[in-house]
């Protein structure tokens, strides 16, 4: 049922974002090392910048997960009620 308030009551799949961030972290580290060893400093710097972005995202996701059920509801937390109009 759509109520028109989805952006207000939306929940983020934080565990999925966590695993995507871990996957991105592995690839950006590997890319940085591989390009540095291949003598491509520009590409290594680009991968290093992405590494920084992915690390910050991973830290934010972990922070939200640790903040509890308000940000990462479990199966026992019912969905938000639609706002009264």
């Amino acid at each position: 049922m759509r109520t028109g308030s989805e952006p207000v009551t939306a929940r983020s799949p934080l565990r999925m974002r966590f695993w995507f961030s871990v996957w991105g972290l592995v690839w950006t580290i590997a890319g940085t090392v591989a390009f540095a060893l291949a003598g491509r400093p520009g590409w290594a710097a680009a991968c290093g910048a992405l590494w920084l972005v992915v690390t910050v995202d991973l830290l934010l996701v972990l922070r939200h997960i640790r903040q509890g059920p308000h940000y990462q509801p479990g199966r026992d937390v019912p969905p938000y009620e639609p706002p009264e109009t």
Side-chain angles (χ1 to χ4, degrees), residues 8 22 24 26 29 31-32 36 48-49 59 61 63 66-68 71 73 76 83:
V8 175
V22 169
V26 168
I29 291 170
T32 303
L59 292 174
V61 168
R63 178 176 172 256
R66 288 185 181 149
Q67 283 179 338
Y71 289 101
D76 58 332

Side-chain angles (χ1 to χ4, degrees), residues 11 22 47 54 78 84-85:
R11 299 184 196 177
V22 169
C47 285
V54 170
E84 300 284 329
T85 55

Side-chain angles (χ1 to χ4, degrees), residues 38-62:
R40 300 282 202 171
W43 284 103
C47 285
L50 279 175
W51 183 359
L52 179 65
V53 170
V54 170
T55 302
V56 168
D57 182 54
L58 182 63
L59 292 174
L60 288 174
V61 168
L62 286 173

